[in-house]
Amino acid sequence: MPKKSAAYEKLQRAGDVFMKADEVRADDIVIPIMGQTGAGKSTFVNNALRKPVASTSDKFQSCTQNLAHYIMEVPEDWASLYNIEAHRRLVLVDTPGFDDTSASDSEILRRIAVWLAASYGMDMKVAGVIYVHPIYPNRMTRNDCSNVKVFRKLCGDEGLSKVILATTRWDICPENVGRKREEELVETFWTNLLNGSPTQERARMMRLHNTDDSARAIVTTVLERLEQSQIDGVILALQHQLVKRKKKLQQTDVAIELRQKLVELLRESGTSSSARRERLRSLGRQIEELRIPLGVRIKAMLGLG
């Protein structure tokens, strides 16, 4: 019997995308694909499935404005190699990135939360998370670093053991530049994702080329790590806090981190043009949406929530 999630039900809005009860199998192998807008998430899905199911574009505007999930049966050779029961399914979840051109960061988080809470509420666990990041041409920005912090809070420390950090755009990146940027990611920007205690498995970094074989190699790495862990998936921090602990979205670690990012953006923004003023208003609205309600804060102070 599916578990009910009051938090998920209150978050849901008309038009939200999530797996319905009649679509779900409890043994589905769920792999969310996350990362910034334009990083190559939808291209990865198409290559992994070997068919063009997800829309892609070279334009500035994002193609993935809503979440979408794509289902395929685990190939027989993969099932045999990674000790997976016959006829289990892979569910690849293509998510919109933060800093999207068509939706606010707070709205993107809400949509992701709805999908993850609904799936966990129906006993589905996450096998792995793929975080897609372009190695070239742009360098890591402060905003990229903030998004990595948000991603880490969404997963939690336990969830990081199932993360693959996949770097893209290798087809246009000079090899020597790419190697130096990989070193920077390992030593500076992603060190908290990749490095942990000797007994604690952390995220793994891989190159993702624009080919079917490369995308599938990353999926099979997720399956290999799932087999080695001897547990059937992981509960992400966001899922645990919404479903198990019954927190409001604003109370979750990821929402608090995202709100901090937005506050910093607001402090750094000027007001010299109408476009910037509208940007300030948008940031202010998002910050307010992520504020923990006063009543909830009072209950927490009194130890009642």
Side-chain angles (χ1 to χ4, degrees), residues 25-246:
R25 296 181 189 171
D27 64 353
D28 280 339
I29 299 170
V30 178
I31 305 177
I33 299 99
M34 300 184 178
Q36 68 185 63
T37 297
K41 300 184 294 292
S42 299
T43 298
F44 168 83
V45 170
N46 291 337
N47 286 337
L49 299 183
R50 289 181 171 164
K51 54 184 177 181
V53 293
S55 298
T56 61
S57 174
D58 293 325
K59 297 178 180 179
F60 289 116
Q61 188 168 5
S62 167
C63 274
T64 308
Q65 298 176 7
N66 290 300
L67 274 80
H69 51 262
Y70 304 96
I71 300 171
M72 67 174 283
E73 194 165 295
V74 176
E76 289 183 8
D77 55 335
W78 291 3
S80 175
L81 187 60
Y82 301 111
N83 196 29
I84 298 170
E85 296 89 344
H87 307 302
R88 287 188 69 179
R89 307 184 306 176
L90 284 171
V91 181
L92 303 183
V93 188
D94 190 7
T95 68
F98 292 117
D99 310 308
D100 190 83
T101 53
S102 61
S104 68
D105 283 1
S106 58
E107 173 61 14
I108 294 298
L109 176 60
R110 188 196 65 79
R111 294 175 188 176
I112 293 172
V114 164
W115 202 101
L116 290 174
S119 63
Y120 179 48
M122 291 182 284
D123 295 316
M124 299 171 72
K125 291 184 180 179
V126 172
V129 183
I130 299 167
Y131 187 83
V132 182
H133 175 78
I135 198 76
Y136 193 81
N138 298 326
R139 294 181 179 275
M140 284 285 285
T141 65
R142 183 184 299 183
N143 204 44
D144 293 332
C145 294
S146 296
N147 287 339
V148 168
K149 291 179 181 178
V150 171
F151 173 72
R152 183 182 180 187
K153 292 296 185 181
L154 186 151
C155 294
D157 285 340
E158 184 179 354
L160 285 180
S161 68
K162 298 292 182 288
V163 168
I164 302 292
L165 302 169
T167 53
T168 59
R169 306 277 178 82
W170 287 99
D171 54 328
I172 62 170
C173 181
E175 179 63 26
N176 63 322
V177 174
R179 281 198 305 270
K180 289 178 181 177
R181 292 192 176 185
E182 282 180 319
E183 290 173 4
E184 280 188 288
L185 290 173
V186 171
E187 296 172 3
T188 304
F189 300 112
W190 288 354
T191 185
N192 290 331
L193 304 178
L194 294 164
N195 300 321
S197 68
T199 59
Q200 184 181 38
E201 189 176 13
R202 303 292 275 187
R204 181 182 302 182
M205 186 168 72
M206 296 178 67
R207 293 186 181 188
L208 172 57
H209 300 280
N210 188 14
T211 65
D212 295 359
D213 287 345
S214 185
R216 288 187 156 222
I218 286 180
V219 174
T220 55
T221 299
V222 171
L223 299 179
E224 180 183 16
R225 297 181 89 187
L226 184 66
E227 181 195 24
Q228 291 172 349
S229 69
Q230 298 183 336
I231 58 170
D232 201 17
V234 69
I235 302 165
L236 301 181
L238 176 60
Q239 294 176 303
H240 177 73
Q241 290 163 15
L242 286 175
V243 181
K244 281 286 190 180
R245 298 183 62 187
K246 307 284 185 194

